[in-house]
Amino acid sequence: MEVAIMLFDEFETLDVFGPVEVFGRLKNDYKIKFYSLSGGDISNSHGVTIFTKKLEEIKAGADIFLITGGYGTRTEVNNVALLNAILEISEWSKYVLTVCTGSALLAKTGLLDFKNATTNKIAFDWVITNGNNVNWVRKARWVVDGKYYTSSGVSAGMDMTLNFLKDLHGIVIARQVAQQIEYEWTEDSNNDNFSQEGKT
Amino acid sequence: MEVAIMLFDEFETLDVFGPVEVFGRLKNDYKIKFYSLSGGDISNSHGVTIFTKKLEEIKAGADIFLITGGYGTRTEVNNVALLNAILEISEWSKYVLTVCTGSALLAKTGLLDFKNATTNKIAFDWVITNGNNVNWVRKARWVVDGKYYTSSGVSAGMDMTLNFLKDLHGIVIARQVAQQIEYEWTEDSNNDNFSQEGKT
């Protein structure tokens, strides 16, 4: 399966590379590719630059479409061309995953309306303004609703991706991956120690 | 302070970008740059490519020299030119950090001799063959000995880097960063749930 990861300037480093590490552990099953609206080099203020293909190359959808978060989302929620691309690709993709404030971009397309979803806990009150009809869940490490997987902030993207592996390959494989990367996986999505932080 | 991160082909994704995320949260204090022996694009089988400068640019040392791990270390422990570069840069650097099997490369230079260090738990028995005089610690999320910080596998690099921030900025700042990235930081380095795994 192809994991198509969507980047934009000022993406959050670990939102991207946490899931990359988890999917990468099953590299015979998952091929990771990076995309952005215009293609080319995409950078963030952590000093990370990644070369991307154009999103239009996957307008017929991807097996797994992963929308990252980061400060860039504050700008991108007003980028109509990007939102249209997200809408089209998400509709045709088999699974759509968001990490952190990436759910703000997906919510803005309307695709999360009347669905359960979560997001970064510190930015929670801002994110939810981008989807008034979404059933936002404050206390959750991640949320699954049909083909949509949304996670809390940054590190939670790894927990969500491990749960995704569990859904597709079973708990044994998912635990094996967590073990290999020596990650203390929060297996219960309701176990969220960060939901009391920030404005509630 | 400059964080000079050393890459090689088949570096482990999260070994690099876990610490990048943690340091990146204090971007006014830390500037991250990527290096490799020959410079240019460095890739791994997760589909990640990063442009690097040549290590010779920092032969006078770095504030923080971070040696990543990954399958590539199996080849690089025999790369004499790389080992010589690591030896020279590490001697002149203020702090030297390794993640996962990156400690095999540092151990091979002799700089960890008679010092305490740790490494990835599944690859433990291979890593220690690269440093017979090192006091290898099996049960540790990370180990600090003077200016040398060595961590266990992959995710443990984040715990080590948070501890590094604690040492330099205090526990309040370190916890704040862990909170921001919604990471369940293992604050006690002796709390290592992975040390019983693999060959012991």
Side-chain angles (χ1 to χ4, degrees):
Chain A
M1 294 175 95
E2 180 179 316
V3 183
I5 300 184
M6 193 195 82
L7 301 182
F8 40 78
D9 285 328
E10 290 310 327
F11 65 88
E12 193 66 37
T13 302
L14 193 60
D15 288 15
V16 176
F17 296 106
V20 166
E21 176 70 39
V22 174
F23 281 122
R25 285 281 160 171
L26 298 180
K27 61 187 176 191
N28 292 330
D29 296 300
Y30 299 99
K31 292 292 169 206
I32 294 154
K33 292 185 181 172
F34 298 100
Y35 295 89
S36 68
L37 186 61
S38 305
D41 280 344
I42 298 291
S43 300
N44 71 14
S45 57
H46 294 173
V48 182
T49 298
I50 295 289
F51 183 78
T52 61
K53 298 179 173 198
K54 287 186 181 181
L55 279 177
E56 65 184 29
E57 292 187 29
I58 50 165
K59 60 186 174 185
D63 297 318
I64 299 160
F65 183 45
L66 190 150
I67 303 168
T68 183
Y71 289 111
T73 56
R74 308 279 174 150
T75 309
E76 303 300 343
V77 287
N78 300 311
N79 183 340
V80 175
L82 182 70
L83 295 175
N84 282 334
I86 292 172
L87 175 63
E88 187 173 13
I89 295 164
S90 298
E91 283 190 305
W92 290 103
S93 292
K94 196 164 176 186
Y95 299 100
V96 180
L97 282 55
T98 71
V99 182
C100 197
T101 51
S103 55
L105 298 173
L106 185 60
K108 200 78 183 263
T109 67
L111 287 172
L112 289 178
D113 281 1
F114 312 110
K115 289 188 165 58
N116 297 316
T118 195
T119 189
N120 178 294
K121 294 306 150 49
I122 294 167
F124 205 91
D125 288 350
W126 171 74
V127 171
I128 64 177
T129 64
N130 294 284
N132 292 327
N133 295 319
V134 180
N135 301 323
W136 292 106
V137 183
R138 275 192 194 268
K139 186 170 169 59
R141 191 80 174 145
W142 72 87
V143 166
V144 186
D145 194 328
K147 75 176 192 179
Y148 296 100
Y149 286 65
T150 54
S151 86
S152 292
V154 198
S155 305
M158 287 187 278
D159 300 78
M160 175 190 73
T161 306
L162 285 163
N163 183 74
F164 183 84
L165 295 190
K166 185 188 103 179
D167 288 349
L168 270 70
H169 307 271
I171 186 78
V172 174
I173 296 289
R175 282 182 181 157
Q176 199 172 63
V177 170
Q179 181 75 49
Q180 285 171 355
I181 66 172
E182 298 189 26
Y183 184 65
E184 299 274 7
W185 177 27
T186 302
E187 292 190 14
D188 178 1
S189 65
N190 296 313
N191 186 359
D192 177 15
N193 292 326
F194 300 96
S195 59
Q196 301 308 314
E197 301 296 326
K199 287 180 286 179
T200 53
Chain B
M1 294 175 97
E2 180 178 317
V3 183
I5 301 183
M6 193 195 82
L7 301 182
F8 41 79
D9 285 328
E10 289 311 326
F11 65 88
E12 193 65 37
T13 301
L14 193 59
D15 288 15
V16 176
F17 296 106
V20 165
E21 176 69 40
V22 174
F23 280 123
R25 285 281 160 172
L26 298 181
K27 60 187 176 190
N28 292 331
D29 295 300
Y30 298 100
K31 293 293 168 205
I32 294 154
K33 292 184 181 173
F34 298 100
Y35 295 89
S36 68
L37 186 60
S38 305
D41 281 345
I42 299 290
S43 300
N44 71 14
S45 56
H46 294 172
V48 182
T49 298
I50 294 289
F51 183 78
T52 61
K53 299 181 173 195
K54 288 186 181 182
L55 279 177
E56 66 183 29
E57 291 186 30
I58 51 165
K59 61 185 174 184
D63 298 317
I64 298 160
F65 183 45
L66 190 149
I67 303 169
T68 183
Y71 289 112
T73 55
R74 307 278 174 153
T75 309
E76 303 300 343
V77 286
N78 299 312
N79 184 340
V80 174
L82 182 69
L83 295 175
N84 281 334
I86 291 172
L87 175 63
E88 186 173 14
I89 294 164
S90 297
E91 284 191 304
W92 290 103
S93 292
K94 197 164 176 187
Y95 299 100
V96 180
L97 281 55
T98 71
V99 182
C100 196
T101 50
S103 55
L105 298 173
L106 185 60
K108 200 78 183 263
T109 68
L111 286 173
L112 289 178
D113 281 1
F114 313 110
K115 289 189 164 58
N116 298 315
T118 195
T119 189
N120 179 294
K121 294 306 149 52
I122 293 167
F124 204 91
D125 288 350
W126 170 73
V127 171
I128 64 176
T129 64
N130 294 285
N132 292 328
N133 296 319
V134 180
N135 303 323
W136 293 106
V137 183
R138 276 194 193 265
K139 186 170 169 59
R141 191 76 175 145
W142 71 87
V143 166
V144 185
D145 193 327
K147 73 178 192 178
Y148 296 100
Y149 286 66
T150 54
S151 86
S152 291
V154 199
S155 305
M158 287 187 278
D159 300 78
M160 176 191 73
T161 307
L162 285 162
N163 183 75
F164 182 84
L165 294 190
K166 186 187 104 177
D167 288 349
L168 269 68
H169 306 273
I171 187 77
V172 174
I173 296 290
R175 283 183 180 157
Q176 199 172 64
V177 169
Q179 181 76 49
Q180 286 171 355
I181 65 172
E182 297 189 24
Y183 184 66
E184 299 274 6
W185 176 27
T186 301
E187 293 190 13
D188 177 1
S189 66
N190 296 314
N191 186 0
D192 178 14
N193 292 326
F194 299 96
S195 58
Q196 302 306 315
E197 300 298 324
K199 288 181 287 180
T200 53

